[in-house]
Amino acid sequence: MCAKPPFHRLTKPTETKIIALLATTRTETIETFMPKNADHIARPAQVKGAKKRKRPDIIADQIREQIVTAGLKMGERVPADWLAADKLGVSRGTLREALKVLEFQGLTASKTGPGGGVFVSVVSDDDALRILDNLFLSKPPSISDIYTLRKALEPELAASLVGKLTAEQFAELQSLINPYEDEPKSAVEEYSQRLAELDFHAGLARMSENRVLGFICIFLLSLLRDKTECRAIYSEPTPWWMRETGIGYQIRLLRALKADDAERARTIMREHMTEAEKFMLERAVLAAT
């Protein structure tokens, strides 16, 4: 398995299809692609108080359902008859807005000229992370919320990597530890080193064969980076004993992984997450006083 680059923050906004990926969780009615005489087929009940959806959004969902049902892959053309305004029972203006919705979500891309049309697109993990980060900016989760999940998931992530890593990947993980082994000489270097500690965990997540598990773990790290109180904590000098403890956990974890000891790797990561949460909560309290 090829080594993957360490986690990094996105530097520019991008359009993604993550909303489309989450469409099935909507609580309001979604009009799926059905014959017009299929009123006898049961549909999800609309939740009381749910915001009424616009017609272009409903049509976009309908087209998405066709794409998913047909199993169209990235780069494949969406059949023109699926995009016929008269067959969809809408105006051309409504159809154009629906296609804009799909493009904004990253599900499709339009090309003009010879060979043009509407084609299935794809969203990268980093693109998806960006839109999810923005979702929580106005009402961010607490440190405890984030660590509740980290304590549950990262031990399993660590255990799942046993017997799966290459020599190159071990070397990469070691290189992610190296930047913060020395004492920081400035506040800027302190902040950089604290982020490098998160990069180690993101590196583990990117190496996971379980893409869902890896993605969620990286997302939780991204939430930590975005929290104002966490940024303040990362900028403050870290006690030497905490630095040594954190580095010690990571070194011990690498040893457990090299020894193919899944249970030890799981235990080390669980202890590491527990101590990290305790430290972050204590520092948050101090910062607030």
Side-chain angles (χ1 to χ4, degrees):
M1 185 176 179
C2 296
K4 300 178 182 178
F7 177 81
H8 61 279
R9 295 294 301 137
L10 299 172
T11 57
K12 62 179 181 178
T14 180
E15 296 178 346
T16 76
K17 72 172 182 183
I18 191 63
I19 301 174
L21 297 177
L22 299 176
T24 55
T25 65
R26 288 174 175 162
T27 55
E28 59 268 4
T29 302
I30 295 178
E31 293 193 16
T32 56
F33 180 68
M34 300 178 182
K36 293 187 180 298
N37 62 354
D39 293 334
H40 63 284
I41 299 177
R43 301 188 183 196
Q46 184 169 351
V47 176
K48 185 178 181 180
K51 183 179 179 181
K52 186 176 181 179
R53 303 180 65 234
K54 297 180 180 179
R55 188 64 174 165
D57 294 324
I58 295 173
I59 296 302
D61 282 338
Q62 183 171 311
I63 296 171
R64 177 187 180 276
E65 285 299 315
Q66 292 178 271
I67 293 173
V68 173
T69 301
L72 295 187
K73 305 299 181 184
M74 177 185 176
E76 292 186 325
R77 184 195 301 270
V78 178
D81 61 326
W82 292 6
L83 308 176
D86 56 340
K87 288 189 176 182
L88 291 169
V90 297
S91 67
R92 291 183 179 180
T94 297
L95 177 60
R96 282 194 296 270
E97 290 299 315
L99 293 178
K100 287 180 182 179
V101 170
L102 293 174
E103 288 196 32
F104 176 79
Q105 294 172 355
L107 182 61
T108 63
S110 298
K111 298 179 182 178
T112 58
V118 177
F119 297 84
V120 177
S121 186
V122 70
V123 64
S124 70
D125 288 354
D126 282 347
D127 291 342
L129 280 172
R130 186 56 178 247
I131 196 68
L132 284 176
D133 285 341
N134 292 342
L135 176 66
F136 284 92
L137 281 179
S138 61
K139 192 174 182 181
S142 68
I143 291 175
S144 293
D145 290 338
I146 296 172
Y147 273 95
T148 293
L149 292 175
R150 290 194 73 189
K151 287 186 295 184
L153 298 180
E154 292 208 35
E156 298 310 312
L157 170 68
S160 72
L161 294 173
V162 167
K164 305 292 180 60
L165 302 180
T166 65
E168 290 77 14
Q169 287 174 317
F170 276 117
E172 179 187 344
L173 290 171
Q174 181 61 54
S175 72
L176 293 174
I177 296 176
N178 294 338
Y180 53 90
E181 285 186 314
D182 298 328
E183 287 287 336
K185 298 180 176 59
S186 66
V188 173
E189 190 171 330
E190 174 80 32
Y191 184 75
S192 177
Q193 288 188 0
R194 294 305 305 276
L195 294 186
E197 294 178 29
L198 298 183
D199 285 341
F200 175 85
H201 292 271
L204 290 171
R206 290 190 186 278
M207 293 173 186
S208 174
E209 293 182 353
N210 185 331
R211 188 183 177 197
V212 176
L213 177 59
F215 179 85
I216 295 174
C217 288
I218 291 174
F219 173 52
L220 294 174
L221 297 173
S222 187
L223 289 177
L224 282 177
R225 292 169 185 264
D226 273 349
K227 282 187 67 64
T228 302
E229 58 187 319
C230 290
R231 292 187 177 192
I233 293 171
Y234 294 152
S235 299
E236 292 294 321
T238 303
W240 67 267
W241 57 267
M242 186 59 190
R243 291 174 53 81
E244 293 296 322
T245 300
I247 294 173
Y249 276 124
Q250 295 180 357
I251 292 174
R252 288 168 53 204
L253 176 62
L254 288 184
R255 290 173 180 168
L257 292 174
K258 289 179 179 179
D260 291 340
D261 192 333
E263 189 53 42
R264 182 151 61 102
R266 181 182 288 111
T267 299
I268 291 170
M269 184 63 85
R270 184 181 297 114
E271 293 175 355
H272 184 18
M273 290 297 96
T274 300
E275 286 297 318
E277 178 187 29
K278 180 181 177 182
F279 172 78
M280 292 294 287
L281 290 175
E282 288 176 348
R283 301 289 283 194
V285 170
L286 289 175
T289 57

Tab-separated table of all heavy atoms in Angstrom, residues 5 34-36 40 54 72 201 211 256 258 270 285:
chain	number	residue	atom	x	y	z
A	5	PRO	N	0.150	11.265	1.748
A	5	PRO	CA	0.672	12.494	2.322
A	5	PRO	C	0.018	12.804	3.646
A	5	PRO	O	-1.111	12.412	3.893
A	5	PRO	CB	0.300	13.552	1.266
A	5	PRO	CG	-0.874	12.970	0.567
A	5	PRO	CD	-0.630	11.486	0.553
A	34	MET	N	-39.889	8.332	-10.008
A	34	MET	CA	-40.972	7.363	-10.075
A	34	MET	C	-41.882	7.726	-11.239
A	34	MET	O	-41.954	8.888	-11.658
A	34	MET	CB	-41.819	7.393	-8.788
A	34	MET	CG	-41.073	7.069	-7.512
A	34	MET	SD	-42.191	7.197	-6.101
A	34	MET	CE	-41.063	6.845	-4.759
A	35	PRO	N	-42.624	6.763	-11.755
A	35	PRO	CA	-43.644	7.094	-12.751
A	35	PRO	C	-44.656	8.030	-12.116
A	35	PRO	O	-44.920	7.976	-10.918
A	35	PRO	CB	-44.270	5.731	-13.075
A	35	PRO	CG	-43.237	4.725	-12.668
A	35	PRO	CD	-42.532	5.326	-11.500
A	36	LYS	N	-45.224	8.881	-12.939
A	36	LYS	CA	-46.147	9.873	-12.386
A	36	LYS	C	-47.400	9.246	-11.793
A	36	LYS	O	-48.102	9.865	-11.024
A	36	LYS	CB	-46.512	10.893	-13.468
A	36	LYS	CG	-45.327	11.751	-13.882
A	36	LYS	CD	-45.756	12.855	-14.819
A	36	LYS	CE	-44.583	13.724	-15.231
A	36	LYS	NZ	-43.970	14.407	-14.108
A	40	HIS	N	-49.342	5.386	-5.380
A	40	HIS	CA	-49.660	4.362	-4.388
A	40	HIS	C	-48.419	3.891	-3.649
A	40	HIS	O	-48.530	3.208	-2.631
A	40	HIS	CB	-50.310	3.164	-5.087
A	40	HIS	CG	-49.397	2.492	-6.068
A	40	HIS	ND1	-49.120	3.042	-7.306
A	40	HIS	CD2	-48.681	1.339	-5.963
A	40	HIS	CE1	-48.284	2.228	-7.951
A	40	HIS	NE2	-48.001	1.202	-7.159
A	54	LYS	N	-37.335	23.721	-2.262
A	54	LYS	CA	-37.595	24.348	-3.543
A	54	LYS	C	-37.643	23.289	-4.638
A	54	LYS	O	-37.022	22.241	-4.548
A	54	LYS	CB	-36.508	25.374	-3.847
A	54	LYS	CG	-36.473	26.526	-2.855
A	54	LYS	CD	-35.370	27.517	-3.205
A	54	LYS	CE	-35.340	28.675	-2.206
A	54	LYS	NZ	-34.254	29.632	-2.527
A	72	LEU	N	-23.886	5.011	-12.411
A	72	LEU	CA	-22.970	5.750	-13.279
A	72	LEU	C	-21.683	6.080	-12.532
A	72	LEU	O	-21.705	6.456	-11.356
A	72	LEU	CB	-23.626	7.043	-13.780
A	72	LEU	CG	-24.845	6.900	-14.691
A	72	LEU	CD1	-25.249	8.269	-15.225
A	72	LEU	CD2	-24.570	5.940	-15.834
A	201	HIS	N	-1.659	11.567	13.833
A	201	HIS	CA	-2.915	10.820	13.896
A	201	HIS	C	-3.617	10.806	12.538
A	201	HIS	O	-4.220	9.800	12.155
A	201	HIS	CB	-3.821	11.436	14.966
A	201	HIS	CG	-3.297	11.252	16.352
A	201	HIS	ND1	-3.601	10.141	17.117
A	201	HIS	CD2	-2.471	12.012	17.111
A	201	HIS	CE1	-2.986	10.236	18.290
A	201	HIS	NE2	-2.298	11.364	18.305
A	211	ARG	N	-11.910	3.152	4.672
A	211	ARG	CA	-11.961	4.552	4.270
A	211	ARG	C	-12.921	5.363	5.133
A	211	ARG	O	-12.660	6.534	5.432
A	211	ARG	CB	-12.373	4.654	2.798
A	211	ARG	CG	-12.263	6.055	2.242
A	211	ARG	CD	-12.749	6.125	0.818
A	211	ARG	NE	-12.700	7.490	0.323
A	211	ARG	CZ	-13.342	7.914	-0.750
A	211	ARG	NH1	-14.092	7.067	-1.440
A	211	ARG	NH2	-13.251	9.176	-1.145
A	256	ALA	N	4.288	-1.166	18.971
A	256	ALA	CA	3.226	-2.177	19.011
A	256	ALA	C	2.793	-2.574	17.602
A	256	ALA	O	2.539	-3.748	17.320
A	256	ALA	CB	2.028	-1.647	19.806
A	258	LYS	N	4.683	-2.452	14.901
A	258	LYS	CA	5.765	-3.240	14.301
A	258	LYS	C	5.800	-4.657	14.868
A	258	LYS	O	6.205	-5.597	14.183
A	258	LYS	CB	7.112	-2.551	14.549
A	258	LYS	CG	7.302	-1.271	13.740
A	258	LYS	CD	8.637	-0.611	14.036
A	258	LYS	CE	8.822	0.661	13.209
A	258	LYS	NZ	10.105	1.331	13.514
A	270	ARG	N	-5.955	4.135	23.311
A	270	ARG	CA	-7.050	4.499	24.213
A	270	ARG	C	-6.513	5.339	25.375
A	270	ARG	O	-7.110	6.357	25.755
A	270	ARG	CB	-7.733	3.240	24.748
A	270	ARG	CG	-8.948	3.542	25.623
A	270	ARG	CD	-9.591	2.276	26.150
A	270	ARG	NE	-10.102	1.438	25.064
A	270	ARG	CZ	-9.620	0.237	24.764
A	270	ARG	NH1	-8.615	-0.277	25.456
A	270	ARG	NH2	-10.148	-0.449	23.780
A	285	VAL	N	-10.233	25.088	30.808
A	285	VAL	CA	-10.722	25.691	32.048
A	285	VAL	C	-9.784	26.825	32.488
A	285	VAL	O	-10.230	27.908	32.870
A	285	VAL	CB	-10.843	24.639	33.153
A	285	VAL	CG1	-11.114	25.310	34.495
A	285	VAL	CG2	-11.947	23.651	32.838
